[in-house]
Amino acid sequence: TSHELRTPLAVLRAQLEAIQDGVRQPTPQAIDAMGRQVRSLTRLIDELYALARADVGALECRREALDLWALAATEAGAFAARFQAAGIAPDIAEAPARSRVLADPDRMRQVLANLFENSLRYTAAGGTVRLAAHADAGRLHLLLDDSAPGVPDEALSRLSERFYRVDASRSREHGGAGLGLALCRRLLEAQGATLAFAHSPLGGLRVTISLPLDGKETA
């Protein structure tokens, strides 16, 4: 944790000192670069706080009837421009026949944003990110697939470990702290849902969220 906090702080300090010493001018670009480091720190602190609350059973979730597919499709749409800018084609499948669950919309939005961010960060340009879902046996399964590069077999079971990151074959210049997937798992567990990882038929990673359908939809 200290290492992950120290890195953006060190970068931010170096940028500020360069401006103070006159080596660098306080241009809009320089200020924007410092802003990115502040946002990185804020995100990391927020994730650590949420994980700490989950560890002591204090993570708040308000479960209500929610069309999870509609929420996921909306979140995917919010990422569409960023995917396209990165040379990644977003692909949203047809809506499943049933998709209403009992879940916390804010927490689920947080999970989806982390998962889309993960695909955006690690999918190579020219690839695809696909969102799909299906229901069976009283459960909704939401699938997020991305294309190459893939994840080694031995890494699949460790993806939601805190601070774990896959080797360089699936990393970019601005890798995260390795907390996003760990937080996703804890947020989902707090709502009676599960998170699973597998190799994707697209060549990258498949992430599956599974949770019970709302009782009114299981009939």
Side-chain angles (χ1 to χ4, degrees):
T1 302
S2 297
H3 171 76
E4 295 298 340
L5 289 169
R6 189 179 296 114
T7 300
L9 277 173
V11 174
L12 184 59
R13 178 178 178 178
Q15 292 169 335
L16 286 169
E17 289 178 346
I19 291 174
Q20 289 174 330
D21 295 341
V23 176
R24 189 175 187 183
Q25 297 301 311
T27 62
Q29 292 79 10
I31 293 172
D32 183 62
M34 290 187 288
R36 285 196 298 271
Q37 297 303 323
V38 172
R39 289 191 292 273
S40 175
L41 274 170
T42 300
R43 180 183 178 89
L44 176 57
I45 291 168
D46 287 345
E47 289 176 342
L48 286 168
Y49 179 67
L51 283 167
R53 289 183 63 82
D55 287 344
V56 297
L59 191 62
E60 298 175 359
C61 287
R62 52 181 181 86
R63 300 175 68 182
E64 60 184 59
L66 170 69
D67 186 335
L68 183 57
W69 174 258
L71 181 67
T74 297
E75 194 65 29
F79 271 79
R82 295 181 63 195
F83 280 130
Q84 292 168 356
I88 301 169
D91 178 15
I92 301 178
E94 293 185 6
R98 297 174 294 166
S99 58
R100 192 172 67 178
V101 300
L102 293 177
D104 185 320
D106 293 331
R107 294 301 190 186
M108 292 306 302
R109 194 175 290 108
Q110 187 176 2
V111 167
L112 292 164
N114 272 337
L115 294 179
F116 284 124
E117 190 72 42
N118 190 70
S119 288
L120 177 65
R121 180 177 295 132
Y122 297 121
T123 304
T128 302
V129 172
R130 186 172 193 268
L131 178 68
H134 66 273
D136 63 50
R139 296 182 70 85
L140 176 70
H141 307 283
L142 189 70
L143 284 70
L144 181 64
D145 285 289
D146 59 44
S147 53
V151 175
D153 291 341
E154 62 274 13
L156 288 175
S157 63
R158 301 190 61 192
L159 287 179
S160 59
E161 291 181 12
R162 299 176 194 189
F163 299 116
Y164 177 76
R165 279 174 287 199
V166 184
D167 63 21
S169 67
R170 195 173 161 85
S171 62
R172 284 187 176 178
E173 179 182 359
H174 300 294
L179 286 177
L181 296 180
L183 180 57
C184 286
R185 181 179 293 281
R186 296 307 299 268
L187 290 174
L188 290 169
E189 288 175 346
Q191 300 174 79
T194 61
L195 181 68
F197 304 102
H199 297 298
S200 169
L202 298 182
L205 178 68
R206 165 169 286 184
V207 181
T208 303
I209 296 173
S210 298
L211 65 171
L213 287 164
D214 184 358
K216 295 179 180 178
E217 287 227 345
T218 58

